[in-house]
Amino acid sequence: WNEKKESAMEDSRVRMADSYGKNSSIPKSATQRVVETGVLADRIMQYIRENQEQFEASPSFRVAEYGCADGSNSLGVLRNIIETVRRVDSKKSIEILCNDLPSSNFTKLFTILNPLKEEYENISISVCGDTFYNQIVPSGSLDLIFSFASVQWLSKVPCPLETRWYLPCLENINQEAVETWRQFSIKEWERFLAQREKELKRGGIAYISTICFEEPLSEGNRLISEAYQFFVKNHKEVLKEYGYNGDYPLNLPGAFRAKEEYMAPFSNSNLQLSLEEFKIFSTKVPPILELVENQNFQELPKMLEVIDRGFSQPFYEIQLEKIPDLTEQQRQELLEKLYACMYAKLPEDYDYARAFGNFSFCGIVISKSLSQ
């Protein structure tokens, strides 16, 4: 890579951090559910009761969020955590660590989260720019970990795949490639858990909420799976117009794992983490559902495209940099054509949009052994 391309890639990653925060209505629905149901508050209270001496002896209650983006979806959850802890000890120091990739817009994150320090006394907020597949904080230092719509992201694309990213029950595509993605996805989840196991205090808890598919696929998830393969077919036709005939270059490094794939590591006797709860729920995105019910096919594709671009466009921009002999203008034209063909047939099949308006998520509650 020359210096100019490296700069363009870094700029794309920064823009991803910005756009992901602006257009993340699906994870925002998941975070709202956690606050409204009280599931996280209940677990915090249980942790404090069962580890009273540890809680009282520690000078602060330490919290880490993994995959924080720009903090837009964190605010309500953090307020919920602070108020829960302060019901037990009104003066307890609370340390909050926000983690995401180094390219994240941490300046914006501080702008969004710093008001917490005005609302509550004795609060500190810090950041760490690193992949969450590494250990982020010293061993045995965290009381609570949480993460929303983040652990589906992998550290890399393991091999070309004829769909957008990994989903369970993929059919009509190279099964060797599907299995490569499946195995890599499982190892990445195990790697994530191994790092969190080190970081948690004994009895410490983690709440992970992320996209989850059940097997066999529901009708909605089947439609999403078919749509992703439809995207790839159209993308390849557009890429050919620009002289590209190689492997599909626009895979996103992500995995929509099945319930069984998330649960599997907890059967490992060497893992000092226990699966306390696993619930699957639907995250509703009201603006999408409203347009679907009204069959507003003029605005619906536009809204879905905006949400889609929030997480996919920066990845596409990085990958398009690797296609040789394209001018910057051609890359921009190609990018717009890629999005234009993704939702072109949406007015004829609004059940696909309804599936996106009721995205399948899971809530995973994990605790670390008291003996550690």
Side-chain angles (χ1 to χ4, degrees):
W1 294 95
N2 60 35
E3 189 173 323
K4 183 177 180 182
K5 285 186 177 180
E6 287 286 4
S7 175
M9 288 179 67
E10 181 63 21
D11 180 60
S12 291
R13 293 189 184 104
V14 171
R15 277 179 283 149
M16 176 191 171
D18 287 342
S19 58
Y20 194 63
K22 291 176 183 176
N23 302 305
S24 54
S25 53
I26 294 175
K28 186 169 290 184
S29 297
T31 61
Q32 289 171 346
R33 179 185 181 277
V34 166
V35 174
E36 290 168 1
T37 61
V39 60
L40 189 53
D42 291 344
R43 290 292 173 171
I44 292 171
M45 293 299 290
Q46 180 181 340
Y47 164 70
I48 294 173
R49 285 195 304 270
E50 293 176 355
N51 300 272
Q52 190 73 37
E53 289 185 12
Q54 178 174 276
F55 176 78
E56 292 175 354
S58 177
S60 62
F61 187 89
R62 296 191 179 102
V63 181
E65 178 183 11
Y66 291 99
C68 61
D70 65 6
S72 299
N73 295 326
S74 310
L75 202 55
V77 176
L78 288 172
R79 283 196 181 101
N80 186 236
I81 293 168
I82 293 166
E83 290 173 6
T84 302
V85 173
R86 291 285 170 81
R87 285 205 300 270
V88 179
D89 183 343
S90 61
K91 296 182 179 180
K92 191 72 171 180
S93 170
I94 299 177
E95 299 178 23
I96 300 165
L97 173 72
C98 300
N99 160 262
D100 214 311
L101 294 174
S103 53
S104 294
N105 191 340
F106 291 125
T107 300
K108 185 175 180 182
L109 180 141
F110 281 120
T111 301
I112 292 172
L113 297 187
N114 271 347
L116 287 173
K117 295 193 289 186
E118 298 176 5
E119 293 179 43
Y120 307 97
E121 294 182 355
N122 209 10
I123 301 290
S124 71
I125 300 171
S126 59
V127 299
C128 178
D130 194 1
T131 172
F132 53 45
Y133 292 112
N134 292 334
Q135 183 173 350
I136 301 300
V137 299
S139 298
S141 62
L142 293 176
D143 296 282
L144 171 66
I145 287 168
F146 71 96
S147 179
F148 292 94
S150 296
V151 299
Q152 76 272 10
W153 293 113
L154 309 177
S155 61
K156 65 178 182 179
V157 169
C159 69
L161 188 67
E162 293 294 298
T163 186
R164 223 174 182 190
W165 41 25
Y166 171 76
L167 302 93
C169 302
L170 285 169
E171 299 176 350
N172 305 318
I173 61 176
N174 184 319
Q175 290 301 299
E176 184 177 346
V178 171
E179 183 61 16
T180 297
W181 275 72
R182 191 181 78 84
Q183 292 295 335
F184 184 71
S185 164
I186 291 171
K187 289 184 183 300
E188 292 279 85
W189 174 230
E190 291 173 344
R191 185 178 163 196
F192 176 87
L193 291 174
Q195 304 299 359
R196 308 298 78 85
E197 177 188 351
K198 296 174 191 175
E199 296 167 346
L200 282 170
K201 296 178 181 179
R202 63 179 183 85
I205 53 175
Y207 183 87
I208 313 296
S209 184
T210 190
I211 298 163
C212 180
F213 276 29
E214 288 190 273
E215 297 185 81
L217 295 185
S218 67
E219 179 64 11
N221 288 345
R222 183 190 63 77
L223 286 167
I224 291 172
S225 179
E226 290 180 357
Y228 285 158
Q229 293 182 56
F230 168 76
F231 289 173
V232 172
K233 177 178 177 292
N234 286 354
H235 283 175
K236 291 179 79 172
E237 292 175 0
V238 173
L239 288 163
K240 283 180 182 179
E241 295 177 19
Y242 287 78
Y244 182 83
N245 292 286
D247 289 327
Y248 182 64
L250 299 177
N251 291 127
L252 301 181
F256 287 7
R257 300 178 184 92
K259 175 182 178 180
E260 292 72 19
E261 292 168 338
Y262 279 116
M263 296 179 69
F266 297 98
S267 61
N268 181 350
S269 59
N270 294 322
L271 187 69
Q272 298 299 314
L273 296 176
S274 298
L275 179 61
E276 300 290 339
E277 181 178 288
F278 193 108
K279 287 188 176 179
I280 293 180
F281 56 90
S282 175
T283 57
K284 296 187 181 299
V285 186
I288 293 178
L289 294 176
E290 183 178 342
L291 291 176
V292 171
E293 295 308 319
N294 293 332
Q295 298 189 27
N296 186 340
F297 295 126
Q298 183 174 357
E299 296 302 320
L300 183 56
K302 297 177 185 177
M303 177 175 290
L304 284 170
E305 183 178 328
V306 167
I307 293 172
D308 198 302
R309 283 180 184 258
F311 62 84
S312 64
Q313 180 168 331
F315 283 113
Y316 288 171
E317 289 174 342
I318 291 169
Q319 293 304 101
L320 292 179
E321 287 283 342
K322 300 178 183 179
I323 298 179
D325 304 323
L326 289 181
T327 66
E328 184 60 31
Q329 181 177 347
Q330 287 175 318
R331 285 194 189 92
Q332 288 302 313
E333 290 174 354
L334 174 53
L335 185 68
E336 294 308 312
K337 286 188 177 182
L338 291 171
Y339 280 105
C341 73
M342 284 166 67
Y343 297 103
K345 293 188 177 181
L346 190 60
E348 300 171 21
D349 184 8
Y350 58 87
D351 282 342
Y352 161 66
R354 183 179 283 108
F356 263 101
N358 289 282
F359 226 87
S360 181
F361 261 62
C362 62
I364 309 172
V365 179
I366 300 164
S367 68
K368 184 172 178 178
S369 170
L370 288 169
S371 63
Q372 294 296 304

